[in-house]
């Protein structure tokens, strides 16, 4: 995920997106995108939840909780446009390409100037809307970086089966170990079951990814190391 410079507009939109997300039950499929247009802030999104969030109350709570941030970005109030759609039919994401990095936070260059700035994946995304597979992919390869001799790779997560009843995962990397060997190792140890994996995240607030980047992450535990063996 992008490394965010503290107390900037980009930091704000991503933190605000995750903070709004925290008001929805983790069992709901929800996507929130916050766009800072300088004069106003647009909160776009959709969720399977039918329980409306009081955005006036939430923004006041956010401003009070993160007063230092709001002072630094010179935003004393939030002129907010709320266009979140509730009660939507959002299937759980079952596959997707993930850029997996040993350094969880990756430096990305900003454009020279942006009139508006929007929050970015995985911020503002619930577990069922890609964040689960994002966390799970990092969980898998946090067991393997040294073994594979690399710091970064692309992983296609999928919980769909092929004709041989293997999950349709793919790996693209610069490792000297063949991609077929890496894929076999992943399938030998990990069952692609995000539903069980989610239990590790029950008490984790997703916005801690932004507020406390050095905090130990429950999705980076190495509880399967003894099973990760190249034959």
């Amino acid at each position: 995920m992008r490394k965010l410079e503290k107390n900037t507009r980009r930091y704000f939109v991503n933190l605000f997106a995750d903070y709004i997300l925290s008001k929805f039950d983790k069992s709901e499929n929800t996507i929130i995108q916050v766009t800072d247009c300088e004069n106003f802030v647009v909160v776009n999104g959709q969720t399977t939840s039918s329980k409306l969030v009081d955005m006036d109350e939430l923004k006041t709570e956010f401003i009070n909780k993160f007063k230092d941030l709001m002072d630094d970005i010179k935003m004393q109030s939030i002129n907010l446009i709320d266009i979140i759609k509730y009660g939507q039919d959002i299937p759980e994401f079952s596959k997707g390409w993930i850029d997996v990095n040993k350094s969880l936070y990756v430096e990305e260059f900003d454009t020279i100037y942006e009139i508006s700035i929007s929050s970015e994946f995985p911020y503002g995304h619930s577990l069922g809307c890609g964040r689960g597979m994002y966390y799970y992919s990092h969980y898998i390869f946090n067991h393997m970086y040294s073994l594979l001799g690399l710091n970064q790779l692309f992983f296609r997560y999928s919980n769909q089966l092929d004709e041989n009843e293997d999950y349709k995962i793919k790996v693209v990397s610069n490792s000297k170990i063949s991609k077929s060997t890496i894929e076999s190792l992943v399938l030998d140890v990990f069952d692609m079951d995000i539903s069980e994996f989610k239990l590790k995240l029950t008490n984790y607030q997703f916005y801690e990814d932004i507020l406390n980047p050095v905090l130990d992450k429950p999705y980076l535990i190495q509880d399967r190391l003894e099973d990760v063996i190249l034959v």
Side-chain angles (χ1 to χ4, degrees):
M1 63 184 79
R2 180 197 281 263
K3 182 178 181 181
L4 300 172
E5 183 180 347
K6 194 171 183 179
N7 297 346
T8 61
R9 291 172 66 204
R10 191 175 304 283
Y11 187 94
F12 160 71
V13 293
N14 286 291
L15 178 58
F16 196 34
D18 262 358
Y19 194 77
I20 296 169
L21 180 67
S22 73
K23 303 304 180 181
F24 294 89
D25 192 280
K26 287 182 179 178
S27 64
E28 302 287 356
N29 288 344
T30 304
I31 301 174
I32 299 295
Q33 185 179 63
V34 173
T35 301
D36 177 2
C37 301
E38 292 191 344
N39 294 323
F40 57 89
V41 173
V42 178
V43 178
N44 196 1
Q46 52 185 325
T47 178
T48 53
S49 175
S50 57
K51 184 179 178 181
L52 271 62
V53 173
D54 186 333
M55 295 301 293
D56 286 333
E57 180 180 303
L58 183 146
K59 72 177 183 180
T60 300
E61 180 183 305
F62 182 88
I63 290 170
N64 292 334
K65 188 177 181 69
F66 301 106
K67 186 178 184 305
D68 289 344
L69 166 64
M70 303 304 288
D71 288 344
D72 284 343
I73 63 175
K74 297 178 173 56
M75 186 183 288
Q76 306 307 316
S77 63
I78 300 176
N79 183 16
L80 189 147
I81 299 175
D82 174 13
I83 50 176
I84 298 174
K85 297 178 182 177
Y86 294 83
Q88 300 298 297
D89 180 16
I90 308 173
E92 189 149 323
F93 292 14
S94 62
K95 59 185 178 180
W97 281 98
I98 305 295
D99 183 359
V100 184
N101 288 271
K102 184 176 182 179
S103 297
L104 183 62
Y105 298 93
V106 179
E107 195 82 47
E108 294 185 20
F109 294 106
D110 291 335
T111 57
I112 295 175
Y113 180 74
E114 294 174 297
I115 295 176
S116 62
I117 298 176
S118 295
S119 56
E120 305 164 350
F121 178 83
Y123 308 117
H125 288 243
S126 68
L127 293 172
C129 290
R131 200 173 195 134
M133 70 172 71
Y134 183 87
Y135 283 165
Y136 192 70
S137 299
H138 281 82
Y139 166 68
I140 290 173
F141 289 99
N142 198 44
H143 292 78
M144 300 186 184
Y145 293 117
S146 297
L147 184 65
L148 303 180
L150 47 75
N151 295 322
Q152 184 273 340
L153 57 86
F154 292 99
F155 176 63
R156 184 181 186 273
Y157 169 88
S158 176
N159 62 13
Q160 301 173 349
L161 297 172
D162 62 19
E163 62 276 6
N164 298 316
E165 298 193 349
D166 288 326
Y167 290 105
K168 298 179 180 179
I169 65 168
K170 291 183 181 179
V171 171
V172 176
S173 79
N174 293 323
S175 176
K176 294 179 181 179
I177 300 169
S178 69
K179 77 179 193 68
S180 60
T181 300
I182 299 173
E183 290 167 3
S184 294
L185 178 58
V186 170
L187 293 174
D188 285 345
V189 180
F190 301 97
D191 59 9
M192 302 300 119
D193 185 1
I194 289 182
S195 60
E196 183 175 343
F197 173 73
K198 287 178 183 178
L199 298 176
K200 301 179 188 296
L201 306 167
T202 302
N203 298 317
Y204 184 65
Q205 285 286 7
F206 299 147
Y207 57 70
E208 293 294 343
D209 283 344
I210 300 173
L211 293 178
N212 295 297
V214 298
L215 185 74
D216 288 341
K217 310 299 182 189
Y219 51 88
L220 293 180
I221 60 172
Q222 296 176 314
D223 55 354
R224 301 297 303 276
L225 275 176
E226 61 182 22
D227 301 315
V228 180
I229 301 171
L230 276 177
V231 180

